[in-house]
Every structure is written in structure tokens, then in C-alpha cells.
């Protein structure tokens, strides 16, 4: 048996279990062995109940003395508690109560005098220690050595795949490994890092003899994940470099002329980034560059220079943005910057009349349109360019990996710029987006005033309204942001409308407008237009305005229920009001009581206006899975590594990967054959159109 075999060949894994395993992505022995425990319990010695302490995790083994299931009557189901299960357990030194909510089905499993292994953090209630919703396993007499008397790995289990079953299955898979099992991590690397070989590492991570062994094995697998992600990154980069692109001939004269059309001068940081981009555009291989910069730093204008270079060199260029509003707004920016240049600029969005879309498609294919700015309508099959050589994507995180990859395919190795307002630390960016070169705008235009961020609670609503009134009387405009997370949820929409009606009567002196994703596109445009012109004093909106809306006179923003928004998103919203020289106010109006996590988030916003710091904080608060899912640029999912926590390992992995690809760019050497195999396996899994296999084809 080799470890690419399917798990169904293992004893005890029937079709049903296999199906469940498949659901969590486990198909082969190899997948199974890479299903790591997320923590360990020391079951060499259980804690005596009499010795446990408040707030200290403990593992105890104890017998059930009594059980009680309380069903809550319907009218009392406050906080959605339907039933409460209470179990008293004892290990002869003392008794402790365990409580579970809404887990009534456990009642029948927990019989008096059964033995349980319980893991949790005791809390004090009415002077007594209690375990609230602890994790547990049923103990069975004569139990084998996998689950007891040792350090035991704890896996994320589903109802039908219990801890013990997972352990048992993994141990069977381990028995099938032998010294011949291939180790895709190169020997040199292992030797230098003093990593155990693959078989020892699997044993060490699943059934460690000591915490040190578990740690070293984990480190190896973390390193391994990062190493292969970096190999992929370097391979992709090498492939970009080997492509041939048209270089842009437009030179310094054009740039000077454009600068004369600007109302302001570029910041030093914009200048630096611009020269990095211009430098790339003169090359004969395609640019692949990520432009990062905090919201409001002026990325659009820098991108606009690149558009001009493309068009003046005789090519077409395309700009993909996440919303229609933003498409129209960028067109205005471009028109103003390109006045007197005679460029043909069109907006292509799904809401245009059918005939209009057909005309634009036709003119794009005939090469009559120089610059097309659009939403995902740009990547539809009907869009065929004559000579597209430059593409840019704004607010790239709003697009899926596959969507982003489609745009450059519309041209022949076009120069490629993607833009992001979610800055992350440089070393991280290099790794996650490693096949892209990185440009960062590090400063805001001169004269921008940092918004005053105020977190207030419901009690102060009247004060907030008075504050709004005062600011409007002074001529400013206001956003009130309302959390509709799912734009298509009717219930949410209704509550936005109710909110709007309430506000209308409270602010009867002023003009209010309502803005959300479900408005007809025409209405969306007219509302924003009206707001821009000053005809609307208060815009009651969902987060649709988060992306790109630029109304300089709107300097007050109130966010209702900020607890429902992520940190980075709140920061993006705040960026909307930092567009002029009036003092901006960002008011978070939360419920009276919020969770610790929410409180941390809102405080972080109050304390900092630095997008880099905010996104780092976001990363820590949200944890890597969520964050990187969104950030990663077509890399395999990280199961065990956390690039932020493991930054040092990441740097080392990156250095090793670099050395290998430099000496053997195609991975042809015999000693690299396992790396190649692994990369091919990883890359085939990616549905991403960047995938290596496709590029090879
Ligand atoms: P973002 O980087 O968030 O996309 P934008 O490109 O929308 O930012 O720019 C925000 C605003 O700042 C725009 O109104 C733009 O005209 C203005 N702006 C850009 N660069 C400068 C600058 N160097 N000096 C003054 N204002 C600038
Ligand atoms: Mg922008």
C-alpha cells in the first residue's frame, strides 16, 4: 500500500465513512496523514478534580454520578437556549458539574457510571467551579494505547467521525508506511533544518512521545507547506518572465503632459510607484505588479498614467472594477486627466441597454475604443479585443481568483496591474503574492486630516443626531451606514427602509437619499450623482459605498451596528470621508453591550488610522484561515501554517525555494523529482487558471 491509495482500503473505512472523509477533503492516505491534530491533550496523568483551578485548562477522567436534562419552555427560550444538559462527574477526589446547551441528544449517550474524559476551562459560578460545554470523549474499558496514557492529538471531528475513529484510522494508515515512503521535502533541507523524515514526522505529529517531538514535527509540516507554496510562486514568476510582451514606447514627454492636467502634484510615494510601473512597461515581458496603498492614497491616478502609456503606444487597455458606480467614477477621473488627448473611453457594465452593449463589444473588437472601464461584464465571452496590452484590476479582493485570471487572457501577454487597499506587511505580501512584484504607496496626499473616530453606544443616539444636524448646518454631508450583509435578504432591506423612514422624520429639514445594491442601476447612479452635487444631505446606505465612492464634501459617517462589520471593512468605510480638507468624523454607533472581540475591533479602529496596522490587527483577530482565503493569490490552502505567526519559517522556506528554482528552474534534476510531483499534484488541485499544468499545455 502506498500513501496515494484511497482510504477505503483501510480497515473500518466503509462507504459511509469514506463519504464523510471525502466531504472534508480526505481521499487518500496521504490526505489523511496530513489531517493534523489542532491541539494535544496530556493524558499521561489526568488532573485530579480537587486540584483543578479556575480558568486553567485541564483534562480529567471521571465517572458520571448524575445527569439532568432541562427543557426550556417555549416562552422562555431567550437567547435561543432550548435545553440545558447537566452532568455531575467525580473521580473520587471531588465532584464537578458540566453543562451543555442545546445538546440534549447527549443525554442518552451519558449513562450513570460511564467514564468520561473531559477537557475544558473551569469557571466559577456561585462559588463553585463548573465546566461549561467542555469537550469530551467516552472512555471504554480495555481501551487501547491510542487514546490514553499518552499525549493525545485532538482533531476537528464531525458528529460521525469521532476522535477515536480518526485516531484509529490514522494509526492504520501509519502502519502502512515504510522506509520507502517518499519524502518530497529535499534531503538537504531536512538535514539543514534538522527535520525528522516523513515517516517519523507523521508519527510525531499524530502520536507524539513528547511535546517536543510534536512541536518539531509540526514545524516540519508548517515548513513544508510554506516551502511548496514558495516553489509554486517562483515557478510562476519564472513563467511570466519567459513570456513575450509588447513594450510601451510612450515616454517622459507624455508623463509631463499628463501631469500638467492634474490639479495637484503627485506625492513622493506616488512618484516612486509610478516610476516602478513605467520601468516595467518598457520591458519585453509582461508586468505582473500589485499596487498596494491605504484607502485614499491615490492609486487611481497612478494607474491612469499606465493607461495613457498603453494607448499612446497604440494599444487598448482595460480596467476592471467591482461596482458600476466605480466604473463611472473612474471614467470621470480619466476624462479629466486625459483632456485634450483624444482617447476613446467607454464604460461597459451589465446594466447598459442591450444595443449599447453590442455596440461597445463591436467597437472593442474593431479597436475603436482605447480604454474600457467595466465590471465583470469585461470578462464575458463576447468581449474580444483587437490589441489589448494593458489590464488593471481595482479593489482586487472583491474578485475571485478565477475572475481576476480571466482578464489578462483577453489580451496577448498584457501588462498586468492589480490594486488593493488592504495592505499587508511586505514580507507577507511577497510570499502570498510572490509571483507579483510589489509597489506600495506609503503616504496620503498632503493636507488630509485623520478622521476623528468615536465609538458611542445606543444611549448617545440623540447626541449623534444633534451632531449630524450641526455638521449639515455647516454645509457638510453625511453617510449613515446600515449593515446589510447579504444584499438579497429581504428582511434586512426592510429594516433599512424602516430606518430610512425614521431618519426622514427626524431630519425633516434636510434631504435624505437611500442607497443599496438592489436599487436599479439607473437609480444608483442618480442617487450618487445627487449626493455628489450636494442635493442630498444624508445618504442612508449599505456598505456599497465602501468601494471607491468619492464625495469630497461628505465628511461625517455614522456606522450603525458596527459589530457586524469586519475591521478592514470599517477602515475602508472610514476612507470615504477622508477626501478633503474638512475635519472628518467617523462615528461607530453600537449596542450597549458588545462582546470582547467586537470591543477589541472597535478600539483598534479608534486607536489607529494606519491601514497596515489595521490589516495586521485584522489578521490576528480573524485568524489566518479566513483572511488568507481571501488574500491568497491562487496558492494551495494552508492547513497548518499561519504566515503571520510563522513568518520566520516562511522567510527560510522562501530562501530554500529560491535556491532550488534558481539552480533548476524546470525541476528536471533527479533529486528534485519529488518536488515536481508534489507541485503537479498541488497545482492540479487549483481550479485557478494560473495553474501550472494549464500553462504547460
Ligand atoms: P484610492 O487609492 O483609495 O483608490 P483614489 O485614487 O480614489 O484613492 O484617490 C482619492 C482622492 O485623492 C481622489 O479624489 C484623487 O483625486 C485625490 N488625489 C490623488 N492623488 C493626490 C495627490 N497627490 N494630491 C492630492 N489629491 C490627490
Ligand atoms: Mg480606489
Amino acid at each position: 500500500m502506498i500513501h496515494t491509495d484511497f482510504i477505503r482500503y483501510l480497515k473500518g473505512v466503509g462507504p459511509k465513512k469514506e463519504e464523510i472523509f471525502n466531504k472534508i477533503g480526505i481521499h487518500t492516505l496521504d490526505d489523511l496523514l496530513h489531517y493534523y491534530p489542532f491541539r494535544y491533550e496530556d493524558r499521561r496523568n489526568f488532573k485530579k478534580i480537587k486540584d483543578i483551578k479556575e480558568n486553567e485548562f485541564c483534562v480529567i477522567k471521571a465517572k458520571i454520578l448524575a445527569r439532568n436534562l432541562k427543557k426550556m419552555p417555549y416562552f422562555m427560550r431567550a437567547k435561543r437556549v432550548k435545553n440545558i444538559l447537566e452532568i455531575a462527574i467525580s473521580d473520587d477526589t471531588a465532584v464537578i458539574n458540566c453543562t451543555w446547551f442545546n445538546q440534549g441528544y447527549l443525554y442518552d449517550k451519558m449513562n450513570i457510571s460511564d467514564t468520561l474524559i473531559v477537557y475544558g476551562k473551569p469557571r466559577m459560578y456561585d462559588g463553585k467551579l463548573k465546566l461549561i460545554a467542555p469537550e469530551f470523549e467516552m472512555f471504554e474499558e480495555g481501551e487501547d494505547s491510542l487514546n490514553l496514557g499518552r499525549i493525545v492529538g485532538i482533531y476537528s471531528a464531525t458528529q460521525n467521525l469521532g476522535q477515536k475513529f480518526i485516531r484509529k484510522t490514522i494509526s492504520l494508515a501509519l502502519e502502512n508506511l515504510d522506509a520507502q515512503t517518499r519524502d518530497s521535502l529535499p534531503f538537504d533541507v531536512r538535514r539543514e533544518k534538522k527535520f525528522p523524515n516523513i515517516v517519523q514526522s507523521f508519527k510525531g505529529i499524530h502520536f507524539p512521545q513528547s511535546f517536543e517531538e510534536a512541536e518539531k514535527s509540526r514545524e516540519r509540516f508548517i515548513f513544508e507547506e510554506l516551502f511548496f507554496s514558495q516553489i509554486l510562486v517562483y515557478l510562476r514568476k519564472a513563467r511570466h518572465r519567459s513570456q513575450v510582451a509588447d513594450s510601451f514606447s510612450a515616454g517622459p514627454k507624455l508623463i509631463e503632459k499628463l501631469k500638467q492636467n492634474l490639479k495637484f502634484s503627485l506625492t513622493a510615494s506616488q512618484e516612486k510607484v509610478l516610476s516602478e510601473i513605467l520601468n516595467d512597461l518598457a520591458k519585453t515581458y509582461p508586468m505582473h505588479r500589485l499596487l498596494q496603498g491605504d484607502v485614499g492614497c491615490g492609486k487611481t491616478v497612478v494607474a491612469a498614467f499606465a493607461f495613457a502609456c498603453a494607448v499612446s503606444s497604440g494599444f487598448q487597455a482595460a480596467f476592471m472594477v467591482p461596482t458600476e458606480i466605480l466604473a463611472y467614477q473612474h471614467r470621470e477621473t480619466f476624462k479629466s486627466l486625459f483632456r485634450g488627448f483624444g482617447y476613446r473611453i467607454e464604460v461597459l457594465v451589465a446594466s447598459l441597454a442591450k444595443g449599447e452593449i453590442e455596440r461597445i463589444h463591436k467597437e472593442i473588437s474593431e479597436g475603436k475604443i482605447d480604454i474600457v472601464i467595466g465590471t465583470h461584464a469585461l470578462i464575458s465571452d463576447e468581449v474580444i479585443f483587437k490589441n489589448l496590452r494593458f489590464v488593471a484590476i481595482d479593489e482586487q479582493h472583491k474578485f475571485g481568483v478565477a475572475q481576476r485570471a480571466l482578464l489578462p487572457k483577453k489580451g496577448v501577454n498584457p501588462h498586468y496591474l492589480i490594486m488593493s487597499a488592504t495592505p499587508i506587511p511586505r514580507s507577507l505580501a511577497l510570499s502570498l503574492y510572490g509571483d507579483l512584484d510589489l509597489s506600495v504607496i506609503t503616504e496620503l496626499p498632503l493636507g488630509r486630516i485623520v478622521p476623528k473616530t468615536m465609538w458611542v453606544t445606543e444611549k448617545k443616539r440623540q447626541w449623534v443626531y444633534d451632531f449630524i444636524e450641526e455638521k449639515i448646518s455647516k454645509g457638510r454631508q453625511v453617510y449613515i451606514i446600515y449593515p446589510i450583509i447579504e444584499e438579497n435578504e429581504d428582511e434586512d432591506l426592510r429594516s433599512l427602509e424602516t430606518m430610512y423612514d425614521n431618519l426622514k422624520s427626524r431630519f425633516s429639514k434636510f434631504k435624505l437619499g437611500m442607497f443599496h445594491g438592489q436599487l436599479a442601476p439607473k437609480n444608483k447612479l442618480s442617487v450618487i450623482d445627487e449626493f455628489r452635487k450636494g442635493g442630498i444631505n444624508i445618504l442612508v446606505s449599505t456598505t456599497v459605498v465602501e468601494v471607491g465612492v468619492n464625495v469630497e464634501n461628505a465628511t461625517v459617517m455614522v456606522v450603525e451596528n458596527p459589530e457586524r462589520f469586519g475591521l478592514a471593512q470599517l477602515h475602508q468605510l472610514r476612507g470615504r470621508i477622508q477626501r478633503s480638507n474638512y475635519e472628518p468624523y467617523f462615528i461607530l454607533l453600537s449596542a450597549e453591550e458588545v462582546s470582547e472581540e467586537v470591543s477589541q475591533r472597535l478600539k483598534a479602529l479608534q486607536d489607529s488610522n494606519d491601514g497596515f496596522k489595521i490589516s495586521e490587527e485584522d489578521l490576528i483577530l480573524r485568524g489566518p484561515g479566513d483572511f488568507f482565503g481571501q488574500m491568497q493569490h491562487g496558492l494551495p490552502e494552508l492547513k497548518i501554517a499561519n504566515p503571520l505567526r510563522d513568518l520566520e519559517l516562511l522567510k527560510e522556506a522562501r530562501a530554500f525555494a529560491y535556491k532550488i528554482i534558481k539552480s533548476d528552474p524546470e525541476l528536471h534534476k533527479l533529486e528534485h523529482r519529488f518536488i515536481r510531483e508534489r507541485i503537479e499534484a498541488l497545482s492540479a488541485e487549483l481550479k485557478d487558471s494560473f495553474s501550472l499544468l494549464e500553462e504547460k499545455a
Side-chain angles (χ1 to χ4, degrees):
M1 209 157 170
I2 54 168
H3 62 321
T4 51
D5 279 347
F6 290 108
I7 47 166
R8 79 178 74 105
Y9 301 126
L10 285 172
K11 211 165 62 187
V13 181
K16 269 198 194 132
K17 295 279 193 211
E18 182 178 27
E19 208 184 309
I20 306 173
F21 271 125
N22 288 352
K23 266 194 201 140
I24 53 174
I26 297 174
H27 300 269
T28 63
L29 291 198
D30 197 54
D31 296 334
L32 179 67
L33 290 167
H34 283 98
Y35 193 66
Y36 311 116
F38 63 88
R39 66 175 175 83
Y40 297 94
E41 273 175 18
D42 191 346
R43 296 189 185 167
R44 290 171 299 192
N45 298 299
F46 293 104
K47 198 98 176 170
K48 293 287 173 225
I49 295 180
K50 74 172 169 39
D51 296 330
I52 63 176
K53 297 207 174 66
E54 187 179 4
N55 288 329
E56 270 179 26
F57 278 110
C58 63
V59 190
I60 50 187
K61 184 176 152 207
K63 269 200 166 75
I64 299 177
L65 293 183
R67 59 181 181 168
N68 180 31
L69 179 62
K70 246 190 284 183
K71 293 209 169 100
M72 306 304 278
Y74 190 76
F75 60 89
M76 273 178 60
R77 290 185 183 177
K79 296 190 179 168
R80 303 185 184 198
V81 175
K82 292 182 190 127
N83 60 59
I84 300 175
L85 175 65
E86 281 207 294
I87 303 270
I89 54 173
S90 164
D91 62 359
D92 301 335
T93 69
V95 179
I96 187 166
N97 280 350
C98 306
T99 306
W100 288 272
F101 299 102
N102 295 338
Q103 312 233 11
Y105 65 91
L106 292 177
Y107 181 84
D108 290 327
K109 296 193 178 174
M110 296 194 170
N111 297 310
I112 306 288
S113 74
D114 277 357
T115 302
L116 288 182
I117 295 165
V118 180
Y119 171 84
K121 213 191 227 181
R123 309 261 186 207
M124 196 65 88
Y125 287 92
D126 302 328
K128 266 192 182 158
L129 286 177
K130 234 180 159 181
L131 286 160
I132 305 297
E135 291 177 40
F136 72 95
E137 259 177 66
M138 306 300 295
F139 168 85
E140 283 147 37
E141 258 344 301
E143 209 161 9
D144 59 288
S145 56
L146 290 181
N147 306 304
L148 279 179
R150 61 179 309 142
I151 298 167
V152 177
I154 308 296
Y155 299 83
S156 69
T158 70
Q159 264 198 42
N160 296 314
L161 285 183
Q163 296 292 339
K164 286 186 213 162
F165 181 75
I166 295 176
R167 269 175 227 133
K168 176 101 188 127
T169 315
I170 289 178
S171 97
L172 281 176
L174 272 173
E175 281 172 21
N176 281 294
L177 297 186
D178 56 34
Q180 304 306 311
T181 304
R182 72 183 84 146
D183 194 331
S184 42
L185 201 57
F187 180 69
D188 294 356
V189 177
R190 265 185 282 142
R191 191 182 44 199
E192 206 167 318
K193 289 293 301 167
K194 300 197 173 64
F195 286 142
N197 72 26
I198 185 71
V199 177
Q200 285 163 344
S201 302
F202 278 137
K203 284 185 179 150
I205 199 162
H206 292 293
F207 301 103
Q209 299 298 318
S210 66
F211 281 104
E212 293 71 44
E213 189 188 357
E215 199 40 50
K216 198 67 199 169
S217 305
R218 290 189 79 77
E219 193 181 313
R220 181 209 137 105
F221 288 114
I222 290 170
F223 185 93
E224 189 178 311
E225 262 183 13
L226 296 169
F227 173 77
F228 284 107
S229 82
Q230 297 311 294
I231 291 266
L232 257 176
V233 154
Y234 280 119
L235 281 176
R236 289 209 181 110
K237 197 157 185 163
R239 256 150 241 251
H240 296 328
R241 292 274 153 99
S242 68
Q243 292 170 337
V244 178
D246 282 304
S247 80
F248 296 169
S249 52
K253 260 212 193 104
L254 172 75
I255 303 299
E256 275 323 303
K257 257 171 62 189
L258 284 167
K259 283 186 181 168
Q260 282 163 18
N261 276 359
L262 276 180
K263 285 182 281 186
F264 43 76
S265 49
L266 296 181
T267 62
S269 191
Q270 283 172 314
E271 287 283 2
K272 177 165 176 284
V273 166
L274 177 58
S275 69
E276 287 165 356
I277 292 173
L278 295 177
N279 198 25
D280 283 1
L281 297 179
K283 299 247 164 71
T284 53
Y285 57 84
M287 166 170 85
H288 280 257
R289 190 168 281 279
L290 169 66
L291 171 53
Q292 285 195 334
D294 208 349
V295 44
C297 70
K299 293 182 287 293
T300 319
V301 54
V302 174
F305 280 85
F307 277 87
C309 288
V311 180
S312 291
S313 307
F315 302 115
Q316 287 176 298
F319 199 1
M320 188 160 76
V321 302
T323 66
E324 302 200 351
I325 300 279
L326 200 51
Y328 287 105
Q329 196 169 278
H330 282 352
R331 181 175 64 180
E332 292 316 302
T333 306
F334 279 26
K335 272 190 175 162
S336 146
L337 181 62
F338 301 152
R339 38 182 208 282
F341 281 69
Y343 296 166
R344 274 220 34 214
I345 307 169
E346 291 274 4
V347 163
L348 178 61
V349 293
S351 71
L352 291 174
K354 204 165 158 249
E356 186 68 356
I357 293 182
E358 281 164 7
R359 175 187 63 81
I360 295 172
H361 284 168
K362 183 155 175 285
E363 294 192 1
I364 289 175
S365 69
E366 293 166 350
K368 285 186 183 150
I369 294 171
D370 301 307
I371 297 173
V372 51
I373 307 174
T375 53
H376 51 271
L378 280 179
I379 49 178
S380 91
D381 285 344
E382 289 89 63
V383 178
I384 298 162
F385 286 85
K386 184 154 185 243
N387 61 353
L388 179 69
R389 295 294 181 276
F390 177 70
V391 297
I393 298 178
D394 198 9
E395 310 280 352
Q396 58 99 15
H397 64 282
K398 293 277 171 185
F399 294 98
V401 176
Q403 282 180 318
R404 290 195 299 247
L406 279 174
L407 189 62
K409 297 227 159 114
K410 297 275 177 193
V412 179
N413 298 342
H415 294 288
Y416 181 43
L417 181 70
I418 72 175
M419 295 150 71
S420 163
T422 317
I424 50 172
R426 190 173 186 89
S427 47
L428 262 186
L430 279 176
S431 310
L432 294 181
Y433 298 104
D435 55 332
L436 302 172
D437 294 307
L438 182 63
S439 285
V440 188
I441 299 180
T442 52
E443 59 191 339
L444 294 180
L446 217 66
R448 290 286 168 78
I449 306 168
V450 174
K452 202 167 168 164
T453 297
M454 299 180 272
W455 171 22
V456 298
T457 61
E458 198 53 45
K459 265 194 296 223
K460 284 204 142 182
R461 182 172 288 276
Q462 290 318 315
W463 175 86
V464 171
Y465 286 172
D466 294 345
F467 184 84
I468 293 176
E469 195 161 343
E470 182 206 320
K471 291 297 161 191
I472 300 177
S473 313
K474 289 194 175 143
R476 303 287 76 74
Q477 287 162 281
V478 178
Y479 295 99
I480 298 182
I481 305 296
Y482 205 73
I484 291 189
I485 306 297
E486 287 294 330
E487 286 271 344
N488 46 15
E489 277 182 23
D490 290 349
E491 197 180 317
D492 276 350
L493 200 58
R494 244 184 284 124
S495 64
L496 174 74
E497 279 161 358
T498 314
M499 178 82 192
Y500 180 65
D501 290 338
N502 290 343
L503 288 166
K504 255 199 336 213
S505 51
R506 169 63 179 81
F507 295 103
S508 53
K509 281 193 286 186
F510 303 123
K511 257 216 90 191
L512 275 72
M514 182 164 59
F515 189 61
H516 56 78
Q518 299 235 56
L519 288 180
K522 264 210 195 85
N523 296 346
K524 271 193 213 164
L525 290 176
S526 66
V527 171
I528 288 290
D529 214 41
E530 195 60 25
F531 190 54
R532 191 170 287 137
K533 286 190 199 132
I536 290 172
N537 305 106
I538 302 176
L539 188 68
V540 184
S541 171
T542 64
T543 54
V544 206
V545 296
E546 166 197 347
V547 177
V549 171
N550 192 12
V551 178
E552 291 183 7
N553 189 48
T555 54
V556 179
M557 181 180 282
V558 178
V559 181
E560 296 269 356
N561 297 110
E563 51 270 49
R564 286 178 67 181
F565 297 107
L567 193 45
Q569 195 177 20
L570 287 168
H571 181 65
Q572 288 280 311
L573 282 168
R574 179 165 59 180
R576 295 300 122 228
I577 53 168
Q578 202 181 2
R579 307 251 148 183
S580 72
N581 299 344
Y582 297 113
E583 175 149 40
Y585 296 91
F586 187 62
I587 302 171
L588 303 161
L589 181 50
S590 81
E592 224 41 69
E593 303 227 351
V594 298
S595 72
E596 180 57 32
E597 191 216 323
V598 168
S599 157
Q600 249 176 308
R601 211 185 306 150
L602 301 184
K603 278 195 194 125
L605 269 174
Q606 265 187 322
D607 294 347
S608 173
N609 193 48
D610 176 340
F612 277 91
K613 271 213 194 110
I614 300 265
S615 57
E616 238 184 291
E617 187 78 15
D618 200 26
L619 191 56
I620 292 163
L621 290 179
R622 275 161 71 185
D626 193 10
F627 189 89
F628 291 109
Q630 178 194 312
M631 301 296 285
Q632 268 173 300
H633 188 66
L635 294 176
E637 179 202 0
L638 298 174
K639 290 182 191 143
I640 188 170
N642 169 348
L644 192 68
R645 179 197 61 200
D646 306 320
L647 202 54
E648 286 314 306
L649 277 181
L650 173 59
K651 287 180 188 162
E652 282 180 77
R654 193 169 161 77
F656 276 115
Y658 180 77
K659 236 172 38 194
I660 287 170
I661 295 298
K662 189 134 197 250
S663 76
D664 184 16
E666 300 283 322
L667 295 174
H668 281 322
K669 287 189 189 162
L670 196 61
E671 72 258 35
H672 295 151
R673 70 185 183 282
F674 291 155
I675 302 183
R676 197 189 165 95
E677 268 176 31
R678 182 98 190 166
I679 287 292
E680 282 175 356
L682 281 175
S683 190
E685 273 164 30
L686 300 176
K687 292 190 184 79
D688 167 9
S689 13
F690 274 121
S691 108
L692 268 174
L693 292 180
E694 260 193 57
E695 277 172 68
K696 267 199 234 154

